[in-house]
Amino acid sequence: MFKYTCLNPIADIGLKNLTDDYKVTENIAEAEAVLVRSASMHDMELSDNLCAVARAGAGVNNIPLDECAKKGIVVFNTPGANANGVKELFVSSMLLAARDIVGGINWVKENKENANISKDMEKAKKQFAGTELMGKKIGVIGLGAIGVLVANVANRMKMEVYGVDPFLSVHNALSLSRDVTIVKSYDEIYKECDYITIHVPLLEDTKGMLNKEAFAKMKDGVVIINMARDTLVNDDDMKEALESGKVAKYVTDFPNPAVVNMPNVIATPHLGASTEESEDNCAIMAVDEIRNFMENGNIVNSVNFPNCDAGTCDTKGRITIAHKNIPAMISSITHVFSDASVNIANIINKSRGDYAYCIVDIDSESTEDMVQKLVNIDGVLKVRIVK
Ligand code: MLT
């Protein structure tokens, strides 16, 4: 029996895939798995029972990744599961920036008692006129699951699309339309583009990346679209850029108290993934990841541990070990089994940065004694008997 808790509502279509082996608890201290959307886990106590956290979404800035890794807690996200939802909101963002649709709608509301509305609007409408997207240059910063869809849809809207991503994967490169020009530096995007849209994770390196220096390199009257996270943009510098007209419009799905008071901001309340389809897809993927981890010990789509997938276990026992990526760990681990005269049928060890993960399939039953000996190895963070 595995105990799990949901820190936010998670779509039923995903939760119903949790079998009778899973029992929900309100008490995070006794949960082995956590499902979370946007609740912040930064100030939460991480109990020794906790093995896995799955974020139903892409961004993981609400989870203390390193603290989790230090305790051997594997954190998952659901890359791509909500990408279409975000892409569709992105399309509306461009349209809202290009044409004063919001101003026009407000004008109609204000004139709801006006018997001459049909006539008056023909005069009023010029104040809401805009421009078209076709032929404009757009730069997509970050070509992950969302960035690729965004670049391709902008291309289909006949925009001239430039993309940049220092970590572009082969899969994502192959998913991009051939018409998208991949450039090597952010500066090329800043210099060329009328629209710039950002789709990168919020990390120490990316925090405040759209700042005074970046704005200075951009075209006058550029439109910035931010469907990723608010602090990717330096608020003070954005305020100055909006006031000077350097940035003509800032469309963001992440308003904060500073941004909502700036001129020429169009803000939505974190709606990117708020579609039935995205919520369902994220819930299904997050639950699959938790099940695969809890039942098989496999890691797929982790953001703080390496992916490590040994399929289902067909030997007598399986033990998993989350450990530090330091010398002699594998020999220390295998000694525990050889000392107990236990045959290792299969072993996979994968590392990622400071952390590593090992799946050991053995031809004997797993025992608490093995677990204890593994836990006692310096650098071992968590040990689980999977079978
Ligand atoms: C994401 O990071 O994918 C979104 O923030 C998901 C959400 O809206 O919860």
Side-chain angles (χ1 to χ4, degrees), residues 37-38 55 57-59 82 229 270 273:
R37 189 166 170 189
S38 295
R55 164 138 216 270
N82 58 22
R229 287 295 181 267
H270 194 186

Side-chain angles (χ1 to χ4, degrees), residues 2-10 15 18 22-42 44-57 60 62-64 68 73-78 282-283 285-291 293-294 301 303 382:
F2 304 111
K3 287 193 177 161
Y4 73 97
T5 197
C6 294
L7 299 180
N8 297 103
I10 302 293
L15 293 182
L18 291 170
Y22 291 80
K23 189 169 180 286
V24 70
T25 172
E26 295 299 307
N27 180 5
I28 186 170
E30 59 178 23
E32 293 157 275
V34 162
L35 288 156
V36 60
R37 189 166 170 189
S38 295
S40 173
M41 293 185 67
H42 285 284
M44 286 179 188
E45 189 89 31
L46 301 169
S47 93
D48 288 342
N49 291 322
L50 189 57
C51 302
V53 174
R55 164 138 216 270
V60 283
N62 55 326
I63 304 168
C68 285
I73 301 165
V74 180
V75 180
F76 300 90
N77 71 346
T78 58
C282 288
M285 195 189 271
V287 166
D288 274 1
E289 290 163 352
I290 290 288
R291 284 198 58 184
F293 182 73
M294 298 309 296
N301 292 330
V303 288
K382 199 180 271 293

Side-chain angles (χ1 to χ4, degrees), residues 334-354:
T334 54
H335 269 129
V336 169
F337 297 98
S338 55
D339 286 352
S341 305
V342 167
N343 183 49
I344 294 177
N346 298 296
I347 181 165
I348 305 183
N349 192 84
K350 291 277 168 86
S351 67
R352 173 179 181 165
D354 293 338

Side-chain angles (χ1 to χ4, degrees), residues 62-110:
N62 55 326
I63 304 168
L65 299 185
D66 210 45
E67 287 311 303
C68 285
K70 281 181 190 146
K71 299 193 104 193
I73 301 165
V74 180
V75 180
F76 300 90
N77 71 346
T78 58
N82 58 22
N84 190 63
V86 179
K87 175 201 82 181
E88 291 188 7
L89 191 71
F90 157 80
V91 172
S92 73
S93 303
M94 284 199 299
L95 296 168
L96 291 173
R99 313 174 75 155
D100 192 3
I101 299 168
V102 174
I105 291 171
N106 288 341
W107 183 90
V108 172
K109 278 192 190 150
E110 284 155 18

